[in-house]
Amino acid sequence: MLETLDAAAVRRWCASGLTALRAHQGEIDELNVYPVPDGDTGTNLVLTFTSAQQALAMDLGTLPDDGHTLHGHALRLMARGALLGARGNSGVILSQILRGLADTLAAVPAVRGRQLADALADASTAAYAAVARPVEGTLLSVVAAAAHAARRADSDDLRAVARAAAEAAAHALARTPEQLPELARAGVVDAGGRGLCLLLDALVEVVTGESPGQPAPAPPARRAPVTAVRESGSDAYAYEVQYLLDADDEAVARLRAELSTLGDSLAVVGDGAGTWNVHVHVNDIGAAVEAGVVAGRPHRITVTRFADQGAPAPQARLPEGRAAVVVATGAGIAELFAAEGAVVVPANPSTGELLDAIRATGAARVVVLPNDPNTQSVASAAAREAHGLGVKVSVVPTRSPVQALAALAVRDPKRRFEDDVIAMAEAAGACRYAEVCHAARESLTVAGPARPGDVLALVEGEVHLIGQDLVDTCTAVVDRMLGGGGELVTLLCGADAPAGLADRVRAHVEGAWPFVEVQAYEGGQPHYPLLVGVE
């Protein structure tokens, strides 16, 4: 039994809490009762707390240099790790609960009952502040009840306060169906609150050496599908956008105001050192990401289409779980990939960023589409690292986004993973690609000398045409590619493309190649007014 919460106890609590979340991950996921869920709460909590433990493990034995205590240092590491790895609304809120604990206890010489009660109160305040529109009957209600009970215990006995908090959380969890009609109709309790109860039970076990003995909520009964809003926010919004952001407080204040006009379920939380986790539900992915670019440096961008997160058909629920991670430049391209159910990573990622995206999928089989020759080696390195974590990753060597679209179009969850990867690679290889841009400097190419401002058309990475007019060069390169055969042309217009470019190229193809289908999208990619794919 512990009189105070020291650094060793914090580490044991982190490990024990993660074990509990993993053991009940499926149960918590099943508590999601909404037809368009905000991810799977159990999976999101596991991923978030896994990141917290990894941050703690990486600094094992490190002494704090900021004047904080060892236990405070450990809690700060957990909180920052959780923030960087937070997934979904539940993960973001959990990261702020940990930050509230860390901020309060960092400089406290000894953590006894009253100090823990104060920290839980601050954790509850931080959790509510993380959500633009707090809803009772959720994780927020559970942490508030735990904090209130800890204060009401009015004791220096760490064990008594920890028990009081855990017991109150369990009772608050049982009351969540009374606060949210959707839960009552489904006959379940709140998923995020259930996760917090497991963490508080783990804390009691670490402090007392005894299991708290709280009865687990009964598994959800067989029930008819429930028609309700998702866990947070309106079903009017089709995408979840989440990213980390390096920015100052003033820029983040403007970002909050901007994002609040785009969607709901908005949560923007920081670590106090300039890094923020941004979470929002929107219809306009590009605007949400661009708002982050204006505010600072967004990274680890993920986009989830809710329509892909509902209960899949039986044949699609493979036992090992599959996912796709795609590198994208341009908001429109990112939206296309997200619509295909892929996790999107921004251009020029590091090995660590790709590895983070692979792990964040929660899948045991992942295909990575780098879409750039320079990123292929990075993707291969991330695949090797993932293998050491028990995740099988295959890299399909796509060199352009149009090849990735072709590859994603042939995915079939009913095939063996290895066969599916082969089919994707064949589809990507069968898609010839071209890029049209303006020459930035004078150079000698295989098509002749180029001067700054000339229009260059590159096919498979080599300059094939040099022109003066953008539209003429675009139509000429499409003609050259179709001369070798093709049934489908895909056009991705860049951020700097003139209005009507795609329409003019489409009209040319329909006139010159009447049996060829044309698909055109706003890709939003920089530097290249047009990307072309021919299949």
Side-chain angles (χ1 to χ4, degrees):
M1 294 187 294
L2 298 179
E3 299 293 334
T4 63
L5 189 70
D6 57 17
V10 170
R11 294 182 185 279
R12 292 199 302 275
W13 173 48
C14 187
S16 178
L18 181 56
T19 297
L21 288 175
R22 284 174 172 162
H24 294 270
Q25 178 176 341
E27 169 204 323
I28 298 174
D29 282 343
E30 286 297 316
L31 294 176
N32 281 308
V33 298
Y34 310 97
V36 188
D38 181 9
D40 290 314
T41 302
T43 300
N44 286 344
L45 291 175
V46 167
L47 291 172
T48 302
F49 220 66
T50 296
S51 184
Q53 188 189 48
Q54 288 170 343
L56 196 56
M58 288 176 64
D59 276 70
L60 188 62
T62 300
L63 295 176
D65 56 4
D66 51 9
H68 292 147
T69 60
L70 288 174
H71 63 260
H73 181 61
L75 286 167
R76 282 193 177 279
L77 290 174
M78 280 181 63
R80 177 162 175 79
L83 174 75
L84 297 181
R87 292 287 295 171
N89 231 33
S90 55
V92 171
I93 294 172
L94 176 59
S95 76
Q96 291 309 284
I97 291 174
L98 292 175
R99 184 184 174 188
L101 292 172
D103 287 349
T104 303
L105 300 177
V108 173
V111 180
R112 294 188 173 88
R114 285 187 170 83
Q115 288 75 34
L116 177 61
D118 290 342
L120 285 170
D122 289 344
S124 177
T125 300
Y128 274 86
V131 182
R133 300 180 185 87
V135 176
E136 297 302 326
T138 65
L139 171 57
L140 298 176
S141 304
V142 177
V143 69
H148 183 68
R151 280 274 177 87
R152 195 170 58 244
D154 192 24
S155 172
D156 280 327
D157 188 330
L158 180 65
R159 294 159 294 182
V161 172
R163 283 196 182 103
E167 290 171 2
H171 289 305
L173 177 66
R175 290 195 301 272
T176 55
E178 301 170 15
Q179 298 169 292
L180 271 184
E182 294 86 357
L183 297 175
R185 286 196 295 269
V188 297
V189 295
D190 178 69
R194 172 62 173 141
L196 180 63
C197 285
L198 290 170
L199 295 178
L200 291 174
D201 287 350
L203 179 61
V204 170
E205 191 166 357
V206 167
V207 169
T208 66
E210 303 170 358
S211 172
Q214 295 292 340
R222 297 175 66 94
R223 57 189 186 273
V226 177
T227 301
V229 296
R230 64 183 61 126
E231 182 175 3
S232 60
S234 164
D235 58 6
Y237 299 103
Y239 298 94
E240 176 191 55
V241 177
Q242 191 164 357
Y243 51 83
L244 296 180
L245 179 71
D246 296 334
D248 59 38
D249 292 358
E250 185 177 343
V252 168
R254 293 193 296 268
L255 174 67
R256 279 197 180 98
E258 175 71 16
L259 292 180
S260 67
T261 66
L262 296 176
D264 68 6
S265 192
L266 173 63
V268 182
V269 298
D271 66 348
T275 299
W276 305 79
N277 192 306
V278 179
H279 173 281
V280 66
H281 295 172
V282 295
N283 287 326
D284 191 340
I285 297 170
V289 175
E290 287 166 10
V293 173
V294 172
R297 186 181 76 88
H299 49 107
R300 298 195 195 176
I301 301 170
T302 60
V303 179
T304 301
R305 188 175 74 157
F306 290 122
D308 297 328
Q309 302 302 306
Q315 68 270 22
R317 188 179 288 278
L318 298 180
E320 73 273 14
R322 299 188 192 180
V325 173
V326 189
V327 179
T329 58
I333 293 175
E335 185 171 344
L336 289 172
F337 290 146
E340 294 292 337
V343 172
V344 181
V345 179
N348 196 31
S350 66
T351 301
E353 288 171 333
L354 268 181
L355 182 61
D356 288 341
I358 290 168
R359 289 169 45 210
T361 66
R365 302 287 186 272
V366 179
V367 61
V368 176
L369 306 173
N371 296 339
D372 178 356
N374 295 326
T375 304
Q376 187 171 336
S377 59
V378 175
S380 297
R384 290 192 294 271
E385 292 295 319
H387 180 75
L389 301 174
V391 181
K392 183 173 183 178
V393 178
S394 291
V395 179
V396 174
T398 51
R399 301 165 70 88
S400 170
V402 292
Q403 289 187 319
L405 288 173
L408 291 171
V410 302
R411 278 197 302 170
D412 185 351
K414 291 179 286 187
R415 280 195 293 248
R416 288 193 321 125
F417 177 71
E418 293 77 8
D419 294 337
D420 210 27
V421 170
I422 292 171
M424 293 175 72
E426 290 175 344
C431 178
R432 287 165 289 145
Y433 69 95
E435 304 152 309
V436 180
C437 64
H438 290 91
R441 62 184 64 85
E442 188 171 339
S443 61
L444 184 62
T445 74
V446 295
R451 294 181 298 275
D454 285 348
V455 182
L456 307 180
L458 296 83
V459 179
E460 308 285 337
E462 291 286 351
V463 177
H464 277 227
L465 295 171
I466 301 174
Q468 301 302 314
D469 182 80
L470 177 62
V471 175
D472 289 346
T473 306
C474 289
T475 56
V477 74
V478 172
D479 285 342
R480 179 166 294 195
M481 296 175 74
L482 286 174
E487 300 175 347
L488 172 66
V489 173
T490 301
L491 306 175
L492 297 178
C493 290
D496 300 325
L501 176 61
D503 291 338
R504 296 179 67 179
V505 176
R506 181 200 298 272
H508 171 81
V509 173
E510 290 174 347
W513 307 88
F515 300 105
V516 174
E517 179 184 354
V518 180
Q519 295 178 340
Y521 306 97
E522 292 296 328
Q525 70 275 4
H527 312 308
Y528 295 94
L530 190 68
L531 299 178
V532 181
V534 173
E535 302 173 58

